[in-house]
Amino acid sequence: MDKKNEILKAAFDIFCERGYHLSVAELARAVNIKTPSLYSHFESKDEIIELVIRDEIQRYYRCLTEKILEVKNLSCRDSMKSLYVHVIDYFSEDNRLRFWRAIPFIQNQQLKNISAQLIEDNDRVFKQQIQQCFSTGQSKGEIRQDVSPGALRLYFCMIQGILDGMLLYPKEPFDLGNADELFEAYWDGIRANGTD
Amino acid sequence: MDKKNEILKAAFDIFCERGYHLSVAELARAVNIKTPSLYSHFESKDEIIELVIRDEIQRYYRCLTEKILEVKNLSCRDSMKSLYVHVIDYFSEDNRLRFWRAIPFIQNQQLKNISAQLIEDNDRVFKQQIQQCFSTGQSKGEIRQDVSPGALRLYFCMIQGILDGMLLYPKEPFDLGNADELFEAYWDGIRANGTD
DNA sequence: GTCTATAGTTTGATAGAC
DNA sequence: GTCTATCAAACTATAGAC
């Protein structure tokens, strides 16, 4: 791995811990060079952070898109379950969760806007795909016809809630069994009678 | 209001915006004094932040405890709905949500530990009370007997998910109607058949 | 590309006059 | 309690030698 990428990788790790207030000195130390050497690879601290953010957001949504393709032909239940587990798994790795939760606290309006826009655009696509899956599930009789209007949003909300819990209560190491139970409780609330 | 409290109030506001990296200079400016004058009221920046954090955590759980007493004699559904709305309302005010989400990023291990401990202790009590309400609801026939084991945790998860969404997507101003729909979807999944 | 040296700013905090 | 003056340390960034 060349130095530039080594720096970006280290910047990711430090950003997870410290957020926007990572110091270039600490970053230089992490890759065994002196601070000024950073500036032969990048123009500024903000440029580094912007690259790290773009990389991570792109990586996440690329993974998600792959997974969506992968589950396209499964039942609605299996699709929703797979994607649910996929997202939780993704954010269990490294400190990725802290990374995403640090974004709203970036002290640079331009960077914050770029991040928010990227996330918003990508998220819309993801949510549309799930919506379609949900509708198909309904028309095929997996999901009750008379399900509440908020049922789909509860799915997204549940995912966010789990992630939030992982960040706020890091002491309780996250147990995928718990996540399973939650999904079952959710599905139990929307599945058509007589199905499993 | 005396100066000390004025400072703490301002510190709260700035902490919401900037997290742990609020600067004492900015704080002093906000209350129209010079930086050194802060130090006749407090020993250090960390002392100020600790006080602000203790205040806010205490305020939140005091409000919550009051509300719990208030809804004690309502039906299970009404209790859970009231507390749900209460929490969302609480975090809709000011920048409180940012405050709580900034806590995991405090760059002072001791302060972080104090906060985490306070939250954990108080949260346990809250969750026990809801658990009791939930059990009563089941035995009284408001909630299905054969409800999934994760059904109660889905409730907490849903609340966290909504709050998380409010922080991550601040552009979409939060609509209590949406929150209503979510709760109905949740309740619809656990209510006993034949009840409303 | 990496270094030493250094500039210029901002940080949290203190001394001491009033 | 509030101020002016000041401190040492940390910050981002640049100049210029090798």
Side-chain angles (χ1 to χ4, degrees):
Chain A
M1 185 164 55
D2 63 356
K3 205 71 185 174
K4 189 161 177 172
N5 280 318
E6 191 186 341
I7 294 167
L8 289 174
K9 175 73 186 72
F12 175 88
D13 292 336
I14 302 177
F15 184 89
C16 291
E17 262 328 299
R18 311 221 179 288
Y20 180 69
H21 289 87
L22 69 88
S23 92
V24 288
E26 188 182 1
L27 177 54
R29 222 176 301 126
V31 295
N32 294 307
I33 57 175
K34 302 294 177 187
T35 308
S37 305
L38 285 177
Y39 290 85
S40 56
H41 297 281
F42 306 96
E43 285 220 317
S44 67
K45 168 180 161 173
D46 281 350
E47 193 204 349
I48 298 176
I49 294 184
E50 183 176 338
L51 286 172
V52 168
I53 288 177
R54 285 187 185 279
D55 273 7
E56 169 58 18
I57 294 179
Q58 197 180 36
R59 172 166 52 236
Y60 171 64
Y61 285 106
R62 200 174 331 104
C63 283
L64 197 54
T65 307
E66 276 174 25
K67 196 73 190 173
I68 288 174
L69 282 175
E70 201 183 308
V71 303
K72 221 174 59 175
N73 295 318
L74 300 181
S75 68
C76 173
R77 184 201 141 97
D78 288 349
S79 292
M80 289 179 81
K81 174 79 177 276
S82 292
L83 287 168
Y84 167 86
V85 170
H86 171 81
V87 171
I88 292 170
D89 278 350
Y90 183 88
F91 285 109
S92 298
E93 255 181 64
D94 299 329
N95 257 327
R96 282 169 180 166
L97 198 54
R98 282 179 71 88
F99 182 95
W100 287 71
R101 293 313 186 269
I103 290 178
F105 291 96
I106 292 174
Q107 299 295 309
N108 170 317
Q109 195 55 48
Q110 202 192 338
L111 261 180
K112 216 159 79 176
N113 290 346
I114 291 173
S115 314
Q117 196 60 51
L118 273 174
I119 295 174
E120 198 187 317
D121 293 344
N122 281 290
D123 235 42
R124 193 175 22 245
V125 177
F126 167 56
K127 288 187 173 167
Q128 277 167 356
Q129 310 247 207
I130 299 278
Q131 165 131 46
Q132 202 179 345
C133 169
F134 190 91
S135 301
T136 310
Q138 253 187 317
S139 60
K140 285 196 176 165
E142 270 188 270
I143 296 175
R144 295 203 328 264
Q145 290 293 335
D146 64 339
V147 90
S148 280
L152 177 59
R153 292 204 13 251
L154 183 55
Y155 174 77
F156 299 119
C157 188
M158 171 174 65
I159 292 178
Q160 264 175 344
I162 286 186
L163 298 180
D164 204 33
M166 285 162 65
L167 185 65
L168 292 178
Y169 311 102
K171 280 190 183 176
E172 316 167 13
F174 195 71
D175 176 4
L176 259 181
N178 283 343
D180 251 41
E181 242 183 43
L182 271 175
F183 183 84
E184 297 310 325
Y186 170 73
W187 185 259
D188 189 47
I190 63 169
R191 70 186 170 80
N193 293 332
T195 67
D196 138 67
Chain B
M1 185 164 56
D2 63 356
K3 206 70 186 175
K4 190 162 177 171
N5 279 319
E6 191 186 341
I7 294 167
L8 289 173
K9 175 74 186 71
F12 175 88
D13 292 336
I14 301 176
F15 184 89
C16 291
E17 261 329 298
R18 311 222 179 288
Y20 181 70
H21 289 86
L22 71 87
S23 91
V24 288
E26 188 181 1
L27 177 55
R29 223 176 300 126
V31 295
N32 294 307
I33 57 175
K34 302 295 175 186
T35 308
S37 305
L38 285 177
Y39 290 85
S40 56
H41 296 282
F42 306 96
E43 285 220 318
S44 67
K45 167 180 162 174
D46 280 351
E47 193 203 350
I48 297 176
I49 294 184
E50 183 176 339
L51 286 172
V52 168
I53 288 177
R54 285 186 185 279
D55 272 8
E56 169 58 18
I57 294 179
Q58 197 179 36
R59 171 167 51 234
Y60 172 64
Y61 285 106
R62 201 177 328 106
C63 283
L64 198 54
T65 307
E66 276 174 26
K67 196 73 190 175
I68 288 174
L69 281 175
E70 201 182 307
V71 303
K72 220 174 61 175
N73 295 318
L74 300 181
S75 68
C76 173
R77 184 202 141 96
D78 289 349
S79 293
M80 288 178 82
K81 175 77 177 276
S82 292
L83 287 169
Y84 169 85
V85 170
H86 171 81
V87 171
I88 292 169
D89 278 350
Y90 184 89
F91 286 110
S92 297
E93 254 182 62
D94 299 328
N95 257 328
R96 283 169 180 165
L97 197 54
R98 281 180 71 88
F99 183 95
W100 287 72
R101 293 311 185 270
I103 290 178
F105 290 95
I106 291 174
Q107 299 295 309
N108 170 318
Q109 195 55 49
Q110 201 191 338
L111 261 180
K112 216 159 80 176
N113 290 345
I114 290 173
S115 315
Q117 195 61 51
L118 273 174
I119 295 175
E120 199 187 317
D121 293 344
N122 281 290
D123 235 43
R124 192 173 25 244
V125 177
F126 167 57
K127 287 186 173 166
Q128 277 167 357
Q129 309 245 211
I130 300 278
Q131 165 131 47
Q132 203 179 341
C133 168
F134 190 91
S135 301
T136 310
Q138 252 186 317
S139 60
K140 285 196 178 168
E142 269 189 272
I143 297 174
R144 295 203 327 264
Q145 290 293 335
D146 65 340
V147 90
S148 280
L152 176 58
R153 292 201 14 250
L154 183 56
Y155 175 77
F156 299 120
C157 188
M158 170 174 65
I159 292 177
Q160 264 175 344
I162 286 187
L163 298 180
D164 205 33
M166 285 162 65
L167 184 65
L168 292 179
Y169 310 103
K171 279 191 184 175
E172 315 167 14
F174 195 70
D175 176 5
L176 259 181
N178 283 344
D180 251 41
E181 240 182 42
L182 271 176
F183 182 84
E184 297 311 326
Y186 170 72
W187 183 260
D188 190 47
I190 63 169
R191 71 186 170 80
N193 293 331
T195 67
D196 141 66

